[in-house]
Amino acid sequence: MKRRTLLAACAATAAAWPASRAFAQGYPERAVKLYQGFAPGGNADAIARAIGVEMGKAMGQPVVVEAQAGAGGTIAAANVARARPDGYTLLLATGGHAVAGALYNTLPYKTVADFEGVSTVTYFPFLIVVNASSKVQGLAEIIASAKAAPGTVAYGTAGIGSTHHLAGELLTKMAGVSMMHVPYRGDAASVTALLGGEVPFIIAPPTAVLSNIQAGKLRAVATTGLQRWPGLPKVPTVAEQGVAGYDVRSWAGVLAPAGTPRPVVERLNTEILRALQAPAVRQRLEDMGGEARGSTPEEMKALVARELEKWTQVVADAKIPRQ
């Protein structure tokens, strides 16, 4: 009986594969919607539009970017997770997708299982930044101060539960120190606080601080990726300054609803990789502090799983209340 059931399942799979391949050959026949979960005009929106334009040119159908802001990107993610898995509804996921999975007790979707990976699009680091008038010249001095007076050295971020915040919690854990987190309402507010002397340093993405660094008002003392950020090549990494293995980069990539036919996923992957080779797209991503980098569908899904595991542990270790 079991053998007959297995044979029937195999036959059904074999029959479905040519059908999905035939479907993919005619795909896309209409516009593709690419959802992103943040406000129009922000980084996620700009990334989605940059690749969407190029993808649309090659596929012969427009890729329409839909901003569905709210709840840290989870509203857009839920919408895509519930969508028909036919390749016409996609998600531009950011690093916040994994962070939300670590922070929320319940979500209307499974962070990894309810999506097919398509491709990564870009990675970008955070910067650890001080006021230009600060005497601090490097991260080692901040860590030394934190060791000398546990819990008194403060740092600002864009808010509780932001990737910036978790980057700070991971830094304190790996450096073996205790620091005080000061949450603000977004990057702009944290930058204003740093300029006004409210906190000694902040953790922020390049786009939030680069203009003030170039104007001589702020100074970066570390970058959070494993390699130095090309935009500020003289600024050493956190790992270079004594916290071995520290690596925090946010990212963006494309996900599709679970069950999307493999041939469709492969077509989308091909077009994303092609889009990332376009000089205009690469320049746009670099202007936002990012590095254009595609991947296989499997690598994209593995990234989400890996990031979810990392941030879940950080949330637990830092005793951040789950929402």
Side-chain angles (χ1 to χ4, degrees):
M1 184 70 176
K2 289 183 178 179
R3 178 177 173 79
R4 286 198 298 272
T5 301
L6 178 61
L7 289 173
C10 290
T13 301
W17 179 253
S20 66
R21 176 66 67 181
F23 171 79
Q25 288 175 349
Y27 170 86
E29 297 178 332
R30 62 180 188 274
V32 174
K33 287 190 176 182
L34 176 58
Y35 284 86
Q36 64 87 9
F38 302 91
N43 278 3
D45 197 58
I47 292 167
R49 292 182 188 282
I51 63 166
V53 169
E54 289 298 322
M55 291 173 66
K57 290 178 183 177
M59 295 195 298
Q61 294 288 347
V63 175
V64 180
V65 176
E66 296 275 356
Q68 200 165 51
T74 60
I75 294 174
N79 181 50
V80 173
R82 293 191 296 262
R84 184 178 178 183
D86 56 9
Y88 289 98
T89 306
L90 308 173
L91 176 68
L92 191 285
T94 68
H97 180 71
V99 170
L103 277 173
Y104 286 89
N105 279 315
T106 58
L107 286 171
Y109 58 85
K110 296 177 182 177
T111 305
V112 179
D114 283 350
F115 300 90
E116 301 290 350
V118 179
S119 176
T120 58
V121 172
T122 184
Y123 289 82
F124 61 88
F126 292 95
L127 298 174
I128 295 176
V129 184
V130 300
N131 195 297
S133 63
S134 172
K135 295 181 180 179
V136 171
Q137 297 299 313
L139 181 63
E141 295 170 61
I142 294 175
I143 292 173
S145 296
K147 286 183 176 179
T152 62
V153 175
Y155 69 95
T157 74
I160 295 174
S162 63
T163 309
H164 323 37
H165 174 203
L166 299 192
E169 295 291 353
L170 183 60
L171 174 61
T172 60
K173 175 186 175 182
M174 294 182 68
V177 298
S178 173
M179 291 191 281
M180 182 191 308
H181 174 234
V182 182
Y184 291 93
R185 289 183 176 273
D187 288 314
S190 71
V191 170
T192 298
L194 181 60
L195 289 168
E198 291 182 19
V199 287
F201 76 95
I202 64 172
I203 300 173
T207 48
V209 294
L210 190 57
S211 62
N212 279 298
I213 292 173
Q214 292 170 336
K217 297 178 180 180
L218 299 179
R219 178 162 35 86
V221 297
T223 180
T224 63
L226 276 180
Q227 288 81 37
R228 295 189 181 196
W229 181 51
L232 294 171
K234 293 183 179 180
V235 177
T237 67
V238 170
E240 285 181 276
Q241 299 183 71
V243 188
Y246 185 88
D247 178 25
V248 175
R249 290 165 291 168
S250 196
W251 47 267
V254 176
L255 299 173
T260 300
R262 179 67 187 194
V264 172
V265 171
E266 290 176 350
R267 174 71 192 280
L268 289 166
N269 177 266
T270 296
E271 300 308 342
I272 291 172
L273 296 182
R274 192 196 315 273
L276 292 175
Q277 294 304 311
V281 173
R282 300 181 73 85
Q283 186 61 55
R284 184 73 183 98
L285 296 177
E286 288 176 11
D287 289 344
M288 290 186 285
E291 170 195 2
R293 189 192 304 178
S295 73
T296 65
E298 291 75 20
E299 288 168 340
M300 176 63 204
K301 190 157 186 170
L303 170 66
V304 176
R306 190 168 61 248
E307 290 278 287
L308 175 62
E309 181 180 9
K310 177 172 75 174
W311 295 131
T312 298
Q313 188 62 54
V314 170
V315 167
D317 290 343
K319 297 181 173 57
I320 300 171
R322 289 173 66 89
Q323 301 173 35

